[in-house]
Amino acid sequence: MAFFDLPLLELWKYFPEREEPEDFDFFWKATLEESRKYPLDPIFEKVDFGLELVDTYDVTFSGYKGQRIKGWLIVPKNRSGKLPGIVEYIGYGGGRSFAYDFLLWANMGFIHLIMDTRGQGSSWSPGDTPDYDDEPFDPQYSGFMTRGILHPKKYYYRRVFTDAVRAVETIMAFPDVDKERIGITGGSQGGGITIAVAGLVPYIGIDVKIVMPDVPFLCHYRRAVEITDGYPYQEIVQYLKSHRDHVDRVFKTLSYFDGVNFAVRAKAKALFSVALMDNICPPSTVFAAYNYYQGEKEIKIYPFNGHEGGGTFHTYEKMKFAKKYLKG
């Protein structure tokens, strides 16, 4: 994939007009308040994978409307005092897999929660959490991007983003976690969820200290569907090919879930990444969220990479960033 998006000098100055509904804040405050009426009821059930240096827990907690969400918690075995925590969100199509797939952060002395993504986990890694709501779904294109897309209250990512906020509350409920030293991270879909959570937690009076979205998805939808043929954004295009009369309704719904609109509400220190040949999450969509992001921030740019971004090189950048701001 050659360079296909705006030149880098233009990306640094890219502030597209935001499509933000007037009731954005009310919508999300009401959504979170409704779900927080249900007890979080976190369960940390110790499981033995034969790992000698960490303790692993099968986690269950109440997400959207009290629906039970799965996860893993990985904790350094030899610990004293309270430790900083990292919540991780998973890329599109993946599930929580198994705890032994996520050993990096615990080996750095962090308590690490991996949130399962409802309904996903049958593509490249297994998951265990179903997706369900209390009303029927309208017809959708294959995948998750158009599930409930005609109604903001029914849209799939309303449930996922609410689950993700409650995951932060869940790691804070673990007794060995320092609530003042929490970071959140994820790549692609996980990066988009990370930005959303960074913008949502202030509504409920919670602070996260750092956010680390890698090549984030779910940002600047209208631009994305206009310049890339890559999936999952193509799910929206294919849906609109059949539902020609729903264009305005679709983008109205998506405006409640756009990372650009969460970025203007986020204040935690942030480390972004972007790849300039990424045709899945185009660079301009990432820079739109980054440029609007209100907290102290930096971005690592990988000019000759696609959606893999910085890969293991960027993992090390995240390690240094987390150590500096959560342990330094």
Side-chain angles (χ1 to χ4, degrees), residues 89-159:
Y89 307 111
I90 302 169
Y92 193 78
R96 67 171 180 162
S97 189
F98 299 98
Y100 47 77
D101 290 331
F102 301 93
L103 299 179
L104 171 66
W105 293 112
N107 275 281
M108 289 186 65
F110 296 97
I111 294 175
H112 183 196
L113 174 67
I114 303 96
M115 185 190 85
D116 203 20
T117 310
R118 61 168 59 228
Q120 298 187 33
S122 297
S123 178
W124 53 271
S125 66
D128 297 300
T129 304
D131 180 35
Y132 43 90
D133 200 1
D134 49 5
E135 296 182 11
F137 297 118
D138 293 312
Q140 67 182 71
Y141 186 79
S142 179
F144 298 91
M145 294 298 293
T146 62
R147 181 172 293 183
I149 202 167
L150 296 183
H151 309 276
K153 289 186 176 181
K154 292 184 179 181
Y155 189 48
Y156 172 72
Y157 282 102
R158 181 181 184 226
R159 301 186 290 282

Side-chain angles (χ1 to χ4, degrees), residues 38-93:
Y38 297 85
L40 183 63
D41 189 23
I43 296 174
F44 304 99
E45 183 179 358
K46 202 167 187 178
V47 291
D48 184 5
F49 286 109
L51 302 172
E52 297 184 0
L53 302 180
V54 296
D55 292 324
T56 53
Y57 297 84
D58 187 349
V59 179
T60 311
F61 65 94
S62 295
Y64 174 79
K65 287 189 176 180
Q67 296 163 7
R68 301 298 279 173
I69 309 300
K70 299 297 292 184
W72 298 115
L73 191 76
I74 308 170
V75 184
K77 184 164 289 187
N78 297 319
R79 57 190 183 273
S80 60
K82 292 186 179 294
L83 299 179
I86 297 281
V87 180
E88 182 172 350
Y89 307 111
I90 302 169
Y92 193 78

Side-chain angles (χ1 to χ4, degrees), residues 3-33:
F3 296 120
F4 68 99
D5 206 336
L6 300 173
L8 183 57
L9 287 177
E10 292 185 31
L11 290 171
W12 283 114
K13 300 180 289 184
Y14 185 58
F15 284 89
E17 183 177 353
R18 292 191 299 113
E19 299 180 53
E20 181 184 303
E22 292 183 359
D23 64 341
F24 183 93
D25 291 310
F26 175 81
F27 174 86
W28 278 110
K29 287 178 181 178
T31 295
L32 295 177
E33 286 173 2

